[in-house]
Amino acid sequence: MPAYIDELAARIERALGSRVHRYTYLADEFAIEVPGADLLAVARTLRDEPELRFEMLMDLAGVDYLDYGRAEWGTLAATATGFSRGVNRAAPHTLAGDKRFAVVSQLLSITHNSRLRLRVWCDDIEDPVVDSLTGIWASANWFEREAFDLFGILFRGHPDLRRILTDYGFIGHPFRKDFPLIGNVEVHYDPQLKRVVYEPVSIEPRTLVPRVIRHDNRYDPALHDIKRPAE
């Protein structure tokens, strides 16, 4: 692990203690998770603490962990990567059903030239809600509207929480995992009515992920890492 990651971890530990904990991240990244009840207090500390000084919220996004770690096809064998859509079922984010939606913020400290990922789980699955970060980082305003529009996540205390990408009469939240890929309605122009009309979608739902089952010797574990004689 890079030294600057260890240094950042030590600074966050001194400032926040047990209010946050680390979760899985890449080798050159650092990510922490905070309970929803502590989100605003932790965010203010991250912004104002001299050792941290995360002055900027660069991005904020919703995440839907429904069916996380599952594949559309039941294959005889599959790799954890590649076109077979195999997955690692021991992935650290695989959930037991009590959590589904999360909000992930990407923070930047200009003072210390460091970055941090902050994740908070929503309180409820049916009506996911977290506190708004607009009072701490003004840039969260449109990001939170986007997460509300696409995931249906509510932000407590947001000054103007309304859709930002979908149409005025759009029904549902298109980035939710259970939202149909074909949508709920279809739109076309009716020459008799001389206006645009909305009707229930007429496309039959189907799985779009290709099924790939490999049987050839390239994927035989016994043949992996065999050293070939030098030519």
Side-chain angles (χ1 to χ4, degrees):
M1 184 180 297
Y4 68 89
I5 294 293
D6 290 333
E7 180 184 352
L8 175 59
R11 285 189 272 129
I12 289 179
E13 175 68 23
R14 288 194 295 269
L16 297 171
S18 61
R19 287 190 291 175
V20 300
H21 69 271
R22 298 161 69 171
Y23 72 95
T24 303
Y25 50 86
L26 300 178
D28 58 346
E29 297 179 335
F30 188 70
I32 61 174
E33 187 175 289
V34 57
D38 296 333
L39 175 61
L40 295 183
V42 167
R44 288 193 184 92
T45 301
L46 291 173
R47 184 192 64 182
D48 299 337
E49 177 65 32
E51 279 195 316
L52 301 176
R53 294 294 294 162
F54 286 97
E55 303 100 335
M56 296 186 66
L57 184 145
M58 304 299 294
D59 190 20
L60 181 148
V63 185
D64 183 359
Y65 285 98
L66 180 69
D67 291 336
Y68 186 90
R70 297 181 184 177
E72 283 80 1
W73 296 105
T75 59
L76 298 179
T79 61
T81 58
F83 294 106
S84 61
R85 192 60 183 274
V87 295
N88 179 7
R89 298 188 182 280
H93 295 167
T94 300
L95 305 176
D98 58 336
K99 296 179 180 179
R100 175 176 173 182
F101 295 101
V103 174
V104 178
S105 304
Q106 309 290 345
L107 306 179
L108 170 66
S109 171
I110 300 176
T111 301
H112 301 292
N113 189 28
S114 57
R115 294 178 182 270
L116 174 69
R117 180 180 299 119
L118 176 66
R119 181 173 71 178
V120 57
W121 291 101
C122 298
D123 292 338
D124 191 3
I125 293 179
E126 297 300 325
D127 296 306
V129 58
V130 296
D131 288 320
S132 173
L133 294 175
T134 53
I136 299 174
W137 294 289
S139 59
N141 191 319
W142 280 22
F143 293 136
E144 291 180 351
R145 284 181 59 188
E146 182 182 52
F148 163 69
D149 190 0
L150 301 180
F151 292 93
I153 297 174
L154 302 171
F155 291 87
R156 189 184 298 111
H158 191 284
D160 185 24
L161 193 61
R162 54 194 170 94
R163 291 185 183 271
I164 192 172
L165 293 176
T166 56
D167 199 2
Y168 296 108
F170 193 88
I171 298 174
H173 304 283
F175 275 19
R176 288 191 174 190
K177 295 292 182 63
D178 52 3
F179 187 85
L181 295 179
I182 58 176
N184 291 313
V185 297
E186 58 187 26
V187 183
H188 67 90
Y189 179 78
D190 190 317
Q192 295 182 346
L193 298 176
K194 296 183 179 181
R195 63 179 177 85
V196 172
V197 296
Y198 293 80
E199 296 179 348
V201 66
S202 59
I203 303 174
E204 291 294 329
R206 59 191 177 92
T207 300
L208 300 178
V209 178
R211 182 181 185 184
V212 180
I213 301 178
R214 302 183 174 106
H215 294 288
D216 59 78
N217 292 334
R218 291 177 298 168
Y219 304 97
D220 188 344
L223 300 177
H224 288 181
D225 303 323
I226 295 179
K227 293 183 179 180
R228 300 182 179 275
E231 297 181 356

